[in-house]
Amino acid sequence: MSSTKISIILLLCLCVLNCEDKQSSTKSKSSKQFTETIDSTLTKDKEKTNNNRKYPFLTDENAMEFLMEYGKDHKENKVRIVTDFGNIDILLYDKTKFHRANFIFLTKQNYFDYTQFYRVVNNFVIQGGNSDGMNIMKRRQKIGRYLLPPDTKRGYTHKRGAVSMPSSEIENAYKLASPYQFFIVQAPNGAYHLDGSYTIFGEVIDGMDVVDAIAAVPTDKGEWPLENVFIKKVIILD
């Protein structure tokens, strides 16, 4: 083979390699631009979601400060629990300010909608604010994970109709309360043995007949109603 032909072949090879390098460079650049575009979009979407959130993710570190400020701007103290058995109207006490603010906050976040009275003990209490549905767990995850300290020295007692907050399911020596649950004393003679252990933050002002009807439903051995007793919604009253 002549040197001329060899030179031509080498030249052609160099041209092909040069073209492949350019294509590879173009693809790499295009891929990088695509990745950067996706990352930028995800970042903007995340920032947009965070900007749309009107309250912080609540924790044990920030919940009390948040509720203190929230309570100053949201002074409502009457709510209505709507059930298939009828309505239960509740007066929330101003003296237990953190617990009142917490209940109003959760009400305005529609947290209680289609939770349940999941523990029913006739002649004792009905307990609500929980559910076996995954959607309720997701609501809690969105709002935050925090506990409320007890506020038991305001002079209130666990009389019939008292609305109180149970301790967290997590064992703790200080009776820290789950912010998402509450119970209503249905016992005709009250449940005064609970005084000092749980925070009473309100009382039923209308609808104790509804409380009695719920307390009378059949339950299993775990005190869970055999047929679900839903809290359809909780609304703020003027």
Side-chain angles (χ1 to χ4, degrees):
M1 185 179 293
S2 68
S3 59
T4 303
K5 288 183 178 180
I6 292 174
S7 298
I8 292 172
I9 291 171
L10 289 172
L11 182 61
L12 288 172
C13 288
L14 287 171
C15 289
V16 170
L17 289 172
N18 188 45
C19 288
E20 288 179 347
D21 286 344
K22 287 182 178 179
Q23 289 176 351
S24 176
S25 176
T26 301
K27 289 180 180 178
S28 177
K29 185 177 181 180
S30 176
S31 177
K32 184 178 179 182
Q33 288 175 339
F34 177 77
T35 301
E36 289 176 347
T37 300
I38 292 297
D39 290 343
S40 176
T41 301
L42 291 174
T43 300
K44 288 179 180 178
D45 286 346
K46 186 176 181 180
E47 288 175 351
K48 183 178 179 181
T49 299
N50 290 337
N51 289 337
N52 287 339
R53 190 180 180 98
K54 297 180 180 179
Y55 55 89
F57 180 84
L58 297 183
T59 66
D60 289 333
E61 285 70 36
N62 67 8
M64 299 303 287
E65 182 179 357
F66 169 78
L67 291 173
M68 178 179 289
E69 294 303 316
Y70 189 88
K72 293 176 182 177
D73 297 328
H74 302 265
K75 298 184 180 298
E76 299 93 337
N77 65 351
K78 292 180 182 177
V79 297
R80 172 170 292 164
I81 300 174
V82 180
T83 78
D84 288 328
F85 290 78
N87 298 335
I88 305 169
D89 291 350
I90 292 173
L91 170 68
L92 303 174
Y93 297 144
D94 292 328
K95 287 184 179 180
T96 49
K97 56 185 178 181
F98 293 109
H99 297 72
R100 180 198 66 80
N102 177 75
F103 202 90
I104 294 296
F105 170 67
L106 294 180
T107 296
K108 290 189 175 184
Q109 301 307 312
N110 300 314
Y111 166 74
F112 293 111
D113 294 3
Y114 283 92
T115 56
Q116 299 174 36
F117 280 106
Y118 63 93
R119 182 188 177 215
V120 170
V121 186
N122 199 15
N123 294 318
F124 183 36
V125 301
I126 63 172
Q127 189 162 318
N130 204 349
S131 171
D132 54 359
M134 289 294 293
N135 60 321
I136 305 303
M137 183 182 70
K138 289 179 180 178
R139 286 184 204 172
R140 294 187 184 193
Q141 290 175 341
K142 180 179 178 181
I143 294 169
R145 183 172 182 174
Y146 62 105
L147 299 175
L148 296 179
D151 191 0
T152 59
K153 298 180 179 179
R154 301 293 180 177
Y156 304 124
T157 63
H158 284 84
K159 64 182 180 180
R160 173 174 164 83
V163 182
S164 190
M165 192 166 284
S167 293
S168 166
E169 295 174 357
I170 302 172
E171 290 295 328
N172 64 85
Y174 299 102
K175 295 286 186 180
L176 298 177
S178 166
Y180 298 107
Q181 302 172 35
F182 64 94
F183 66 86
I184 301 174
V185 176
Q186 182 264 340
N189 297 320
Y192 300 106
H193 64 286
L194 301 178
D195 292 354
S197 295
Y198 305 99
T199 300
I200 304 152
F201 64 101
E203 64 179 87
V204 175
I205 55 176
D206 191 26
M208 277 306 296
D209 57 328
V210 177
V211 175
D212 288 335
I214 293 173
V217 302
T219 63
D220 61 19
K221 293 181 180 179
E223 300 174 341
W224 194 290
L226 296 179
E227 295 187 10
N228 290 332
V229 180
F230 286 105
I231 296 172
K232 297 171 71 173
K233 59 182 176 179
V234 178
I235 58 178
I236 307 290
L237 298 178
D238 294 332

